[in-house]
Amino acid sequence: MSAVRVSVCMATYNGAQYLAEQVDSILSQLTDDDELVVVDDGSTDATVAMLEALEDPRVSVRRTARNLGYVGAFGEAMAAARGEYLVLSDQDDVWPAGRVEVLVAALSEAEVAVGNVVDLEHRRPLPSPVRRTPWQLSSSTSRQHRRNLLRIWAGVIPYFGSAMALRRSALERVLPLPSYLGESHDLWIATVANVDGSIRHLDDVVVWRRLHETNASSSRPRSVGPVLRARLMLLRLAVEARRRRSRPQQMRER
């Protein structure tokens, strides 16, 4: 392996409007031994040009051969990362100071770490889609792995990919992403981590989320059909996570 310590993995698509502020907040927290891996999924705006204009050796930009969607682009970014610690990032948020080190420190105790998200404008927690109360993780629930899996299925736990980090060792079970995973790569990672019994919830806020009409994940309630399809997919993910956990080590290394 290379000497890269932290790999920030970002998927971009027509993100030029907000990208500069996010990249600035990321690079200010990286050392010369870290990297920002960007997979662009067919942008038609200035996204790629902005990234290439940085001329920063820590930044690498890859373009997908065809449109994969944000889940597929994140999968490619994680596969290309060289670091021991992978920190996921959206293209349009802002990182509070200290985010990287808080997440990396948490990974000394678990293979996946996830913190809290507040909105960028007001710095308030996002509302729960179920009870409209503040939606936050608590460190006290980190070891409630079975309950966390039920919370994932019920849609009541705030596992945001933009607030996640994972150790390289977790990739052998996270990748390749299941072929039917068309959304919620973050819930897949959290499912794997809870099945493995190795996830750490942080009380810390690690993302200032920019809310706008083109967010990849919407906070608007969905109709019954999409909700039922999502619940079925989450059950399939839990079964797949258990299968990957139980397969022999030599099979995982192929």
Side-chain angles (χ1 to χ4, degrees), residues 7-12 37-41 62-64 66-82 86-90 161 166 168 170-179 181-186 188-189 244:
S7 294
V8 177
C9 301
M10 177 187 288
T12 58
V37 179
V38 181
V39 171
D40 185 78
D41 196 31
R62 300 163 181 255
R63 302 186 194 216
T64 57
R66 58 183 178 83
N67 188 263
L68 300 177
Y70 74 94
V71 171
F74 267 114
E76 288 210 353
M78 289 189 285
R82 297 175 294 152
L86 281 66
V87 182
L88 306 189
S89 174
D90 285 352
L166 57 156
R168 168 163 294 278
L171 290 182
E172 68 179 31
R173 293 176 302 288
V174 169
L175 298 179
L177 299 177
S179 60
L181 186 64
E183 62 178 13
S184 304
H185 62 290
D186 41 16
W188 163 241
I189 294 170
R244 293 192 186 191

Side-chain angles (χ1 to χ4, degrees), residues 38-168:
V38 181
V39 171
D40 185 78
D41 196 31
S43 290
T44 56
D45 65 358
T47 295
V48 173
M50 288 174 62
L51 292 165
E52 292 177 342
L54 293 171
E55 298 185 345
D56 189 315
R58 297 172 296 176
V59 180
S60 64
V61 184
R62 300 163 181 255
R63 302 186 194 216
T64 57
R66 58 183 178 83
N67 188 263
L68 300 177
Y70 74 94
V71 171
F74 267 114
E76 288 210 353
M78 289 189 285
R82 297 175 294 152
E84 174 61 25
Y85 306 104
L86 281 66
V87 182
L88 306 189
S89 174
D90 285 352
Q91 66 180 4
D92 47 9
D93 299 323
V94 177
W95 284 9
R99 168 203 163 102
V100 170
E101 291 311 314
V102 165
L103 287 170
V104 168
L107 291 175
S108 66
E109 303 174 1
E111 290 207 319
V112 172
V114 56
N116 280 304
V117 176
V118 297
D119 75 86
L120 176 61
E121 182 178 0
H122 303 291
R123 309 291 167 87
R124 291 197 295 254
L126 305 181
S128 166
V130 177
R131 298 180 180 178
R132 312 309 294 179
T133 55
W135 210 20
Q136 292 180 287
L137 287 172
S138 170
S139 57
S140 64
T141 60
S142 293
R143 297 183 184 277
Q144 296 177 5
H145 305 302
R146 292 182 180 178
R147 290 185 183 181
N148 290 337
L149 289 169
L150 289 174
R151 290 166 179 144
I152 291 173
W153 183 82
V156 296
I157 189 165
Y159 282 141
F160 290 101
S162 60
M164 281 185 173
L166 57 156
R167 296 183 67 94
R168 168 163 294 278

